[in-house]
Amino acid sequence: MHDTDVLVVGAGPSGLTLAASLVKKGVATTVVDRQAAGANTSRAAVVNARTLEVLDGLDVSRRLVKEGIQAPRFTIRDGRRILIPVDFSVLSTEYPYSLMVPQATTERLLLDRLTELGGAVIRPKTLTAVVQDADGVTATFDDGDVIRARYVVGADGMHSTVREQAGIGFEGGAYQESFTLADVRLRGDAPADEVILFWAKAGLTVVAPLPGEIFRIVAPVTDAPEEPSAPFIQQILDERGLGAGRMVVTDVIWGSRFRIHHRVADSYRAGRLLLSGDAAHVHSPAGGQGMNLGIQDGVALADALAAAVGGASESVLDEYSAARRPIAQQVVEMTDRLTRLATLPRAARPIRNTAIGLAGRIPAVQRGLAMRLSGLVYR
Ligand SMILES: Cc1cc2nc3c(=O)[nH]c(=O)nc-3n(C[C@H](O)[C@H](O)[C@H](O)COP(=O)(O)OP(=O)(O)OC[C@H]3O[C@@H](n4cnc5c(N)ncnc54)[C@H](O)[C@@H]3O)c2cc1C
């Protein structure tokens, strides 16, 4: 006897997408999250074209597009000189741009859709253990509750309890640099329709637009403060050639710091336990792929689980793992290359910029990057 067909652990973007997709397909689904309420911070700021394509079927894309701003261009620059221009507007998709929208908004719209479809998130409820047998999984929670499900999905983030309980390895490592991140108001000439990576000799700075005339600034620094102040961010812009009246920070709306790991789970499946999102892969935010991959995992896993619950061979679940894991590996490789290039030692940076400037003139290089950053290469 099962309480539910699928227990989804974690109501981040991946778990919410999976749950809404399952409920839409008529699969009995229970979602739990250990937080009393969803996070309201901006975090992942880019929704790419492929994610908008896959969320179309859930009727979430048009809602996202209404709340976000469209950035059809991505450039890597050295000061005002463009090293690589990436133009999404030429791509053959209904969504030829990066949609800039805070993660809290994306999560709110996914939760709204889940609720509309008749689903709900039970919170706060923390999974502590899972034990599987021939016909189901017994999940235990910190409040002593027990839920019996046919399948359990760990959409419970980087430190996934489901992954640990399943004994699935999470190989990889961490980069040395720490990064500062701030959503700020700016005076100056930051464009509202373009994501820019400035590769100055003094170091990398990312400047990306968000709704409400806010800009996201990200930069590697030796010792990132827990909450960056306006003078701290201004100092980074000044040191890296973006200050001097070009960009003046007037206000920090939200800030944070982070270190980056690069890891992929050894498998996305161990019997009746499955992984989705950050529980299965983490990597550098260069190129803004993390949340996008997690949402795309959710849609793919919903198809596989609906088939398995409907009586199809469980090999569909292995196919999910076999299809999604190599994509995560490719994303880890691409973001690793971008991160290493962006954080090369100071002395190597002028040579790097000359080489990148030459490569960036090649149309195939520009198009290849556009396909990867938009996620359309993984269609
Ligand atoms: C400061 C910061 C900035 C970021 N910036 C970017 C960016 O610019 N671009 C980008 O692509 N990504 C960025 N990310 C990463 C992005 O936020 C993640 O990739 C994304 O949230 C992953 O979604 P997810 O649904 O897989 O997992 P999560 O969002 O981590 O959600 C997991 C959920 O599981 C719940 N949970 C965990 N354990 C349990 C348990 N035992 N029982 C019940 N519930 C549990 C948690 O409460 C959480 O709600 C950033 C992250 C941070 C923290």
Side-chain angles (χ1 to χ4, degrees), residues 73-87 194-200 204-207 286-287 337-339 341-342 352-353 356-357 360 365-366 369 373:
R73 280 195 308 278
F74 170 96
T75 54
I76 297 180
R77 295 172 183 247
D78 182 357
R80 293 187 192 271
R81 186 162 65 102
I82 295 179
L83 301 177
I84 304 188
V86 176
D87 182 4
E194 181 175 340
V195 174
I196 307 178
L197 269 53
F198 288 99
W199 284 10
L204 161 78
T205 317
V206 180
V207 180
R337 232 174 290 139
L338 269 177
T339 307
L341 275 172
R352 169 200 66 191
N353 285 6
I356 292 292
V365 170
Q366 296 173 12
L369 255 178
L373 294 173

Side-chain angles (χ1 to χ4, degrees), residues 46-84:
V46 179
V47 175
N48 70 24
R50 184 59 191 149
T51 297
L52 290 167
E53 286 184 351
V54 303
L55 285 179
D56 221 9
L58 254 190
D59 193 28
V60 171
S61 304
R62 75 181 167 86
R63 305 170 200 221
L64 272 166
V65 169
K66 244 189 238 168
E67 299 222 21
I69 54 175
Q70 300 176 14
R73 280 195 308 278
F74 170 96
T75 54
I76 297 180
R77 295 172 183 247
D78 182 357
R80 293 187 192 271
R81 186 162 65 102
I82 295 179
L83 301 177
I84 304 188

